[in-house]
Amino acid sequence: MRAAVLHEIGQEKLEVLDDVEAVGFGPGKVRIRVRATGLCHSDVSAMNGVLPQPAPFIPGHEGAGEIVDIGDGVSGLNEGQRVLLCWLPACGVCPACKRGQTQLCLAGFMNAGTPNFKRPGGDVFGFAGTGTFTEEVVVDAGCAVPIPDDVPFDIAALIGCGVTTGLGAAINTAKVEAGSSVAVIGCGGVGISAIQGARLQGAAQIVAVDPVESRREAALRFGATEAVAPDALADAKQRVTAGEGFDYVFEVVGKSATARTAYETTRRGGTLCVVGAGALDDFLQLNMFELFFDEKRILPSMYGGGDVLRSYERAIALWRAGRIDLESLITHRVPLSGINEALEQMRTGVALRTCIGI
């Protein structure tokens, strides 16, 4: 089958090959025919080595499709069923799951080090244990989450990661209060979803911050009250908050420099929500006096900071009700053969989310 493969970490382009096979099917597994997958910045981060990932590998973790085969012992799923792919399934029995923090379950990471594809030349890994830039993928049954018939595959794919992450950061993690002031640094697909989440929560002012003009313009369409370039953030802080700082600041870039800016932009007693996935060797520096004296809450948000299955259901309900706009998030649609074009669009900030039809 066809798949887009990165041969070595650090390469900028993927090679679309037709000699890839999905492996590992058996008890507790399902085989999924991928119909649509989103291109997330985490895929790019894995390609350039920011996020740890063995190579060669097939990127992609935001996918949706149809079940084509079911292994022994799997219940509640049927062949032909429409599903989205959950790249971090909950085991249901670990301490994190028992506490209701299923987004912190590590069971899904156990599969990330096991190749789930092969080529004539050897094994190939799937990013985050999935690898959706391919026609078929074999995953644990817990990764296959049924979706209603009225949810298109491309919308379902976005709910599988970016939308859930951004909405959840505002609703579950930060718990944005009505009437509050918000700044969102980084306005790609996840940042836009955080903006929509803050709007849903009733934030009075939402300032979108991004160096790319097209993304700033998009942020205004999705609910930001104003949008500025990074060098204008200090002025926005002065105008909107009289210099005090924002009640909530979301860092959706994944770099210590922007996290430090976000901290300085947050008011004393306010909340900094870290959403971006950064590198292991990129350290955020805070001195102990400011940490104590400013009493700012620093809240990391992993996969939306809540039960992902409930978050999927909430996103679908909000989308159906017209409370969030998911169609407009997909600014580009390309076939698998156009994957490198999509990567370039992401690197240059042209696309909010590119959906790849497979």
Side-chain angles (χ1 to χ4, degrees):
M1 64 179 184
R2 292 183 309 144
V5 178
L6 186 84
H7 297 289
E8 296 181 1
I9 300 299
Q11 291 180 333
E12 291 192 352
K13 291 189 176 182
L14 298 168
E15 185 176 7
V16 179
L17 304 169
D18 60 6
D19 61 355
V20 179
E21 179 183 352
V23 298
F25 182 73
K29 302 283 188 175
V30 295
R31 186 186 302 273
I32 297 174
R33 171 67 171 91
V34 179
R35 295 297 182 183
T37 181
L39 174 57
C40 179
H41 200 276
S42 296
D43 301 311
V44 178
S45 294
M47 290 174 62
N48 61 29
V50 170
L51 297 180
Q53 170 64 44
F57 78 97
I58 296 171
H61 60 288
E62 231 182 36
E66 301 157 332
I67 295 177
V68 295
D69 206 356
I70 297 176
D72 293 339
V74 175
S75 61
L77 297 173
N78 304 299
E79 291 184 16
Q81 195 165 25
R82 304 169 78 256
V83 295
L84 66 77
L85 276 146
C86 174
W87 61 270
L88 193 60
C91 70
V93 297
C94 71
C97 285
K98 289 180 178 179
R99 287 192 297 265
Q101 295 177 302
T102 59
Q103 78 279 10
L104 299 182
C105 178
L106 294 174
F109 285 111
M110 301 300 106
N111 297 322
T114 302
N116 50 343
F117 300 95
K118 70 176 182 180
R119 297 183 57 224
D123 292 333
V124 179
F125 296 88
F127 178 47
T130 55
T132 54
F133 293 176
T134 180
E135 293 178 319
E136 289 189 0
V137 62
V138 172
V139 294
D140 285 343
C143 295
V145 180
I147 56 174
D149 290 342
D150 66 329
V151 181
F153 286 125
D154 51 5
I155 296 297
L158 298 191
I159 291 173
C161 185
V163 169
T164 293
T165 298
L167 282 179
I171 299 171
N172 298 328
T173 306
K175 296 180 173 62
V176 172
E177 292 187 0
S180 59
S181 61
V182 171
V184 178
I185 301 176
C187 298
V190 177
I192 290 294
S193 296
I195 288 170
Q196 295 203 75
R199 176 178 54 80
L200 282 168
Q201 292 288 97
Q205 293 96 19
I206 304 173
V207 177
V209 186
D210 198 282
V212 181
E213 183 179 3
S214 61
R215 287 187 172 183
R216 296 196 298 270
E217 293 172 350
L220 295 171
R221 297 195 299 272
F222 284 95
T225 53
E226 65 175 283
V228 300
D231 59 5
L233 176 56
D235 178 66
K237 172 185 171 182
Q238 184 63 41
R239 284 187 293 98
V240 176
T241 73
E244 182 185 18
F246 294 89
D247 297 317
Y248 302 88
V249 180
F250 294 86
E251 196 278 346
V252 201
V253 179
K255 293 184 177 180
S256 61
T258 47
R260 180 68 214 189
T261 298
Y263 183 87
E264 294 168 355
T265 309
T266 305
R267 68 165 172 82
R268 294 186 68 214
T271 298
L272 163 58
C273 187
V274 179
V275 187
L280 288 168
D281 58 355
D282 188 11
F283 296 94
L284 171 62
Q285 291 191 341
L286 300 166
N287 68 62
M288 292 302 295
F289 179 78
E290 65 183 342
L291 194 59
F292 156 77
F293 187 70
D294 290 337
E295 203 178 298
K296 299 179 183 182
R297 295 190 305 160
I298 303 175
L299 301 178
S301 186
M302 175 74 172
Y303 208 175
D307 182 88
V308 293
L309 298 184
R310 293 179 189 169
S311 295
Y312 295 160
E313 293 174 355
R314 178 178 61 201
I316 291 171
L318 290 169
W319 169 74
R320 279 176 169 163
R323 301 290 303 281
I324 57 174
D325 180 1
L326 301 186
E327 287 91 346
S328 299
L329 268 178
I330 305 171
T331 50
H332 293 77
R333 288 177 170 84
V334 298
L336 186 60
S337 59
I339 183 65
N340 287 308
E341 171 194 346
L343 285 168
E344 186 61 25
Q345 290 169 345
M346 171 159 281
R347 290 190 183 102
T348 57
V350 173
L352 292 178
R353 244 338 177 250
T354 295
C355 186
I356 301 156
I358 302 176

